[in-house]
Amino acid sequence: MQNYSTSKHAEQFVASIGIPMDRFITQRQREFPYAKGELSQLLRDLGLAGKVVTLSIAHSGISGLEGLIGGTNVQGEEQQKLDVVANIRFIRALTKGQQVCAVISEESDELIDTNNWHGRYVVAIDPLDGSSNIDVNVSIGTIFSIYRRKTPVGTRPTLEDALQAGTEQVAAGYIMYGASTLLVYTTGYGVNGFTYNHTLGEFILSHPNITIPEDGEIYSINEGYADDFNDGVRNYVRYCHEKRFRGRYIGSLVADFHRNMIKGGIFIYPSTRQDPNGKLRLLYECNPMAFIIEQAGGIASNGIKRILDIQPRGLHQREPLVLGSTNMVNQFMDCIHQNYAPETNSEVEFIDF
Ligand code: AHM
Ligand code: MG
C-alpha cells in the first residue's frame, strides 16, 4: 500500500491547502514575466467583488433583493435585482482597481469603457449566471475571462481589445455561490479553487491543482428540449440512457460545470431548433469554461471546432457548447458525426410494479 503521508504528492497537497488566495497569487506572480503585479491585483479585485456579492446573495431574502427589476438586458432577458447588483459590484471593483481598460458584461449592450486607459487588461464577465436559480436558493455563479488589451496603453479601448479568441486569455475563472462560496481560476498553469472563509474574510486554497477524470458517468443537458435537438445529440442522449449514466442538470452553468469537473462528466448546451447557436455566450460563458476545462485536462468544443479557437464576431455571440471529460466528449463527437447508432431493440425486460 502507498504511504500517502510520506509521498511527494501528499506533501505538496498538505503544504498548499490553507494558503490565503492573496498569498497564493503573489507567489504565482513569477509565472508572468511580463506582468508587474497588475494581473494579481485584478484577481484580487474580482475576489473582493465576489465577497460583496456573496453577502448580497445571502441576505437577498430579507433585504428585498429577490425578484425581477422590471427591465430586460441586451439579450431581451428579464433582469433580476441581483443581476443588476452583481453587475454594479464587479464593474465598480474593476474600475476602481484601475488595471482594466474595458469590460464586456452580459448585462451591458456595449463595451464598457472604465476610463482607465492606462489599464493593460480587458475583462469579459457574466456577473451573475444562472438567473432562473437566483430566487430559489440554488447555486449561482460569476464567470470571468481576462485578456491583455491589443490597442496601445493610454488610448481609448476598442472592439479589437474585446473580440479576441479564447486562446488569448491570460486568466479565467468562476465564483460559485453555493453551500459555500468557491473561487476557481486558472492562469494557464493548472486550476486552483479557494473556499471563502466568512470569519477570516478570505478565500483559502481548498482545491489545489484540480484535474477532471478522463471518464465519467454524469451527463448534463436540458432534456426538456430533446425534440428540438438534432439526431446526433439525441443519439448521444440515448447512449447515456443505455449506459445508465446519471443525469444531473441544475441550470446554473457554474454549478453543473464544477460538479462535472470534480467528479467526471459532460455538459452540453447544443444548438436547438429555436436557437441554432445554442444559448451560451462565447466571451463570458464558453471561453472561460473552455480555458479552465482544458487546464484541468478536459475538452471543450462547439461540436465542430475547439471553443478556444473561435474568432469572436460580436460581444454577445452565442455558441453551442460541449465540454467535460475527454472520453465522454469524444464519444459525443462520434454520436453527432453519426458514427454511433444506438441499439433500438435492446432486449431489456421490464418488471411491473
Ligand atoms: P443566464 O446567463 O441568463 O443565467 O443563462 C445562462 C444559464 C446557464 O447558467 C445554464 O447553463 C443555462 O442558462 C440554462 O439554460 P436552460 O434553462 O435553457 O437549460
Ligand atoms: Mg449567463
Side-chain angles (χ1 to χ4, degrees):
M1 208 203 312
Q2 192 181 356
N3 180 353
Y4 281 97
S5 61
T6 56
S7 74
K8 197 168 172 224
H9 174 258
E11 274 170 33
Q12 280 174 349
F13 193 75
V14 175
S16 45
I17 278 188
I19 299 179
M21 190 172 86
D22 272 6
R23 197 182 312 155
F24 183 89
I25 289 173
T26 309
Q27 285 174 0
R28 292 290 184 102
Q29 206 170 295
R30 65 177 182 277
E31 288 164 0
F32 302 94
Y34 58 81
K36 300 181 189 71
E38 296 110 323
L39 181 61
S40 303
Q41 182 56 45
L42 205 176
L43 287 166
R44 289 190 195 98
D45 294 337
L46 288 165
L48 176 64
K51 292 178 193 175
V52 178
V53 170
T54 297
L55 274 179
S56 301
I57 292 169
H59 296 162
S60 60
I62 49 175
S63 58
L65 275 180
E66 285 188 341
L68 298 172
I69 201 157
T72 55
N73 67 11
V74 52
Q75 277 124 139
E77 297 160 342
E78 286 181 318
Q79 282 176 309
Q80 303 272 342
K81 290 179 193 164
L82 274 175
D83 278 329
V84 176
V85 168
N87 192 40
I88 291 170
R89 291 298 183 193
F90 277 98
I91 290 173
R92 190 179 293 168
L94 293 172
T95 303
K96 287 191 184 292
Q98 300 190 358
Q99 314 304 333
V100 173
C101 63
V103 180
I104 305 126
S105 165
E106 175 175 324
E107 304 303 331
S108 308
D109 194 355
E110 311 275 339
L111 182 66
I112 300 164
D113 178 349
T114 60
N115 285 320
N116 297 319
W117 291 6
H118 285 279
R120 292 174 192 275
Y121 293 95
V122 176
V123 169
I125 191 162
D126 184 348
L128 207 54
D129 184 67
S131 302
S132 64
N133 286 322
I134 286 179
D135 280 352
V136 288
N137 219 357
V138 173
S139 298
I140 45 185
T142 298
I143 312 173
F144 60 88
S145 176
I146 304 174
Y147 296 83
R148 295 180 84 192
R149 67 183 296 172
K150 289 281 180 199
T151 52
V153 170
T155 62
R156 183 192 293 275
T158 71
L159 277 182
E160 190 193 341
D161 299 307
L163 299 181
Q164 300 190 47
T167 45
E168 301 291 310
Q169 291 172 98
V170 291
Y174 57 81
I175 305 173
M176 185 165 94
Y177 311 101
S180 57
T181 296
L182 194 66
L183 192 158
V184 173
Y185 79 88
T186 182
T187 51
Y189 293 87
V191 182
N192 291 284
F194 302 80
T195 301
Y196 183 54
N197 180 312
H198 288 261
T199 314
L200 299 174
E202 298 244 40
F203 284 101
I204 307 289
L205 183 61
S206 51
H207 296 69
N209 199 20
I210 302 172
T211 53
I212 183 169
E214 235 177 284
D215 229 324
E217 297 195 335
I218 296 175
Y219 72 104
S220 309
I221 184 169
N222 190 338
E223 286 195 68
Y225 306 144
D227 286 354
D228 295 322
F229 297 159
N230 65 32
D231 288 347
V233 177
R234 274 205 292 264
N235 270 353
Y236 183 72
V237 171
R238 252 178 274 145
Y239 169 86
C240 294
H241 295 171
E242 283 177 11
K243 290 282 182 188
R244 304 294 188 270
F245 285 170
R246 274 165 293 145
R248 295 283 186 276
Y249 191 77
I250 295 169
S252 283
L253 175 60
V254 167
D256 282 313
F257 176 95
H258 183 74
R259 181 204 50 240
N260 291 2
M261 181 166 68
I262 300 292
K263 296 192 166 188
I266 186 168
F267 175 91
I268 309 162
Y269 205 113
S271 51
T272 61
R273 230 192 315 238
Q274 281 83 3
D275 300 307
N277 295 320
K279 175 183 182 185
L280 302 177
R281 274 56 55 116
L282 177 61
L283 289 186
Y284 42 80
E285 290 172 330
C286 304
N287 268 341
M289 293 317 207
F291 190 19
I292 297 166
I293 209 75
E294 285 198 5
Q295 282 296 311
I299 301 181
S301 166
N302 69 355
I304 297 169
K305 221 175 164 173
R306 179 181 176 220
I307 288 288
L308 296 182
D309 285 335
I310 298 170
Q311 176 57 49
R313 297 175 309 278
L315 295 180
H316 302 286
Q317 174 178 337
R318 296 170 197 262
E319 284 294 331
L321 177 67
V322 52
L323 51 73
S325 295
T326 307
N327 293 346
M328 295 183 87
V329 176
N330 285 337
Q331 178 66 47
F332 174 83
M333 294 298 178
D334 275 355
C335 287
I336 63 167
H337 296 112
Q338 310 296 330
N339 296 326
Y340 168 83
E343 295 169 30
T344 42
N345 284 323
S346 56
E347 306 267 310
V348 179
E349 278 188 34
F350 290 96
I351 302 163
D352 283 340
F353 62 95

